[in-house]
Amino acid sequence: MTVHRGTQANGTMTVYQAIASDIKGMGIYIVFGLMSDDICPLIATLDAMGIEFCSARHENNGIMMAVGYAAASRKLGVAMVGRGPAMANAMHGIMAASRSGQRVLVITGDAPASSHTANRPGPDIKHYAASAVLGAAGIRTFHAGTPGSARDALAEASAYASAGQTGVLLIPTDILMGEVNVSRSGPEKPLRAQLSPPLPQQPSLDLALQLIDRSRTPLIIGGYGAYNAGAKEALQALAERTGALLATTLKGKDLFHGHPADIGIVGSSSTSLARACIEGSDCILAFGASLNSLTTNSGSALPPVPIIHIDTDRKNIGRWHRADVAIAGDAKAVAEELLARASARPADRKPHHSAELLQRIRNFSHESDFASASTQRTCDPRTLALKLDQMLPVDRHVIYDGGNFMAVWAYISVAHPGRFTHTLDFGSIGLSLGA
């Protein structure tokens, strides 16, 4: 089979070659996945163009490779898998990818468009209602219905995925082998949809400022959304102005690493010192955090105090935990607005920044926070994690799998949340191997 034929004299080329050329034009230089007969021409063409295809042993691992790449590079991760049983195999990975918040595009084959006509030979042993299954799972699909629409479908799916959501592009096998006019150029440059976050409403900001001003022991929680927004410095400055302690969600792990007011993770992985500080807080500001069951320890971690919830997506505010003040807006922009308007406090109005408490935070050690359960034959995973924290290079990217024994993320530090990846978003054990 001739795979890479080039543009014909009449200005046409095969759809698989046009798609491959557009992928290369968008700056993609590596694709992950598992070869299948229906996407073989596309993968072979990418290889001929110098784009590396990194093959997995299983479709789930191929999807998770793209998730891991997106997490580490903060670029679009592209995965390719086959249709039918291959797509069914990949569903665990696609579900995890869709919940991870990473930029992932999955490209797969689909049943031939001509198979929907009457009196076709059959049955199609690979039949799988991918659009229906993915749609029922809340995952958006993009469909190339004709050869002429394939490149537009790729551009639309890429823009959607580049905004931080998993998109799946379905290309029927006969469409992929069809021909398309390439007189017009494809998408030259990524991919990333620039979506303007909503502007925060002044009444919400005013109410938040009133609550902050009345509080004595505020707490700022930074999530992965705060990291993505580049809000670290603004949040630290807001903490210093208001006397707030700093904490993070699991996905926002080590966002404030090294700051004297950082108490670590909030929720089921909190230290004893962090739990005591959280319980003593009288106002909570959550930036770019979903406040899910891990962060709230199934609702018991946060005290019954006013909660100000900031997120770019209004639907995320109050979704898993109550919010008393909702501010829809970019975490960095809101933090800077609050910083500009919040009153500076004297030291006696900053009990969370007292010399005694800051000294306790500075002197805290994980080793003293639990009694090791190691025996002559077994090792307490917390003890192992602390030893690894000492042994591993400082420049590290830590990836966690599922399973109760793996929940030792509090004991291994990273430089920032972009160096920490867990694959628990779908609760499927084993997905970290691909990531």
Side-chain angles (χ1 to χ4, degrees):
M1 177 178 66
T2 302
V3 173
H4 192 111
R5 300 191 305 179
T7 305
Q8 306 302 300
N10 62 357
T12 65
M13 66 171 61
T14 57
V15 170
Y16 64 76
Q17 185 184 352
I19 292 293
S21 297
D22 287 350
I23 288 173
K24 184 173 183 178
M26 293 186 295
I28 303 298
Y29 61 86
I30 186 168
V31 173
F32 308 90
L34 187 59
M35 179 75 80
S36 183
D37 58 339
D38 48 292
I39 55 170
C40 175
L42 176 56
I43 292 173
T45 303
L46 288 171
D47 179 70
M49 290 180 172
I51 297 174
E52 181 182 358
F53 181 74
C54 188
S55 183
R57 295 291 185 93
H58 189 280
E59 288 82 0
N60 273 336
N61 280 345
I63 303 297
M64 294 308 295
M65 284 179 175
V67 172
Y69 172 83
S73 68
R74 305 191 75 184
K75 298 177 181 178
L76 181 69
V78 180
M80 294 184 181
V81 295
R83 74 181 184 97
M87 173 55 67
N89 274 351
M91 279 304 297
H92 277 201
I94 294 174
M95 286 294 294
S98 71
R99 298 178 182 182
S100 70
Q102 301 299 340
R103 305 177 182 103
V104 177
L105 171 64
V106 180
I107 300 176
T108 179
D110 201 13
S114 59
S115 67
H116 300 298
T117 60
N119 299 318
R120 296 292 302 175
D124 178 5
I125 61 171
K126 284 192 173 184
H127 173 69
Y128 183 73
S131 291
V133 173
L134 291 163
I139 298 164
R140 185 170 173 184
T141 59
F142 302 82
H143 198 270
T146 65
S149 68
R151 299 174 75 198
D152 289 334
L154 171 65
E156 190 179 358
S158 300
Y160 178 82
S162 295
Q165 302 169 92
T166 296
V168 179
L169 173 61
L170 300 161
I171 310 178
T173 53
D174 53 349
I175 299 294
L176 192 67
M177 301 301 293
E179 291 195 344
V180 62
N181 188 299
V182 291
S183 57
R184 68 175 180 85
S185 61
E188 296 176 356
K189 198 64 184 167
L191 293 188
R192 185 149 179 199
Q194 298 295 334
L195 302 177
S196 299
L199 294 175
Q201 297 296 308
Q202 288 302 318
S204 296
L205 289 170
D206 292 342
L207 183 54
L209 285 162
Q210 291 175 28
L211 291 172
I212 294 168
D213 189 58
R214 287 205 298 262
S215 71
R216 283 182 51 80
T217 52
L219 171 69
I220 292 173
I221 300 174
Y224 193 78
Y227 165 70
N228 260 343
K232 174 183 175 179
E233 286 74 19
L235 292 177
Q236 290 182 163
L238 182 62
E240 288 157 11
R241 174 169 284 265
T242 61
L245 290 177
L246 293 162
T248 73
T249 64
L250 177 59
K251 284 193 173 183
K253 176 178 162 56
D254 290 328
L255 176 61
F256 307 117
H257 184 66
H259 192 279
D262 175 30
I263 59 172
I265 299 172
V266 172
S268 51
S269 296
S270 293
T271 65
S272 60
L273 175 60
R275 289 194 295 272
C277 291
I278 294 165
E279 290 169 3
S281 299
D282 61 4
C283 180
I284 295 173
L285 295 87
F287 288 82
S290 69
L291 299 184
N292 60 31
S293 58
L294 276 176
T295 303
T296 65
N297 198 14
S298 299
S300 65
L302 303 182
V305 300
I307 295 178
I308 303 164
H309 197 172
I310 300 98
D311 200 284
T312 54
D313 190 340
R314 190 178 297 275
K315 295 191 300 295
N316 292 336
I317 299 176
R319 183 182 183 190
W320 306 119
H321 194 278
R322 67 173 177 83
D324 299 289
V325 178
I327 302 179
D330 176 78
K332 181 180 179 181
V334 173
E336 289 175 342
E337 180 71 12
L338 294 175
L339 176 63
R341 296 176 58 187
S343 302
R345 300 185 179 192
D348 61 357
R349 285 200 62 212
K350 296 181 180 179
H352 263 171
H353 285 197
S354 68
E356 179 186 0
L357 180 54
L358 294 180
Q359 184 68 34
R360 286 176 60 199
I361 294 171
R362 185 163 49 249
N363 293 342
F364 176 83
S365 69
H366 288 288
E367 290 88 348
S368 63
D369 206 33
F370 66 92
S372 177
S374 298
T375 69
Q376 290 184 341
R377 298 179 59 194
T378 62
C379 182
D380 189 316
R382 297 167 294 183
T383 302
L384 173 62
L386 288 170
K387 185 61 66 174
L388 287 172
D389 189 53
Q390 298 171 8
M391 296 169 61
L392 293 174
V394 174
D395 185 14
R396 62 183 74 153
H397 191 126
V398 183
I399 302 169
Y400 284 87
D401 203 294
N404 292 332
F405 67 95
M406 296 299 295
V408 292
W409 30 64
Y411 305 104
I412 301 181
S413 61
V414 290
H416 53 74
R419 297 296 183 87
F420 169 77
T421 304
H422 77 70
T423 57
L424 286 172
D425 295 294
F426 189 46
S428 182
I429 294 174
L431 293 184
S432 69
L433 295 175

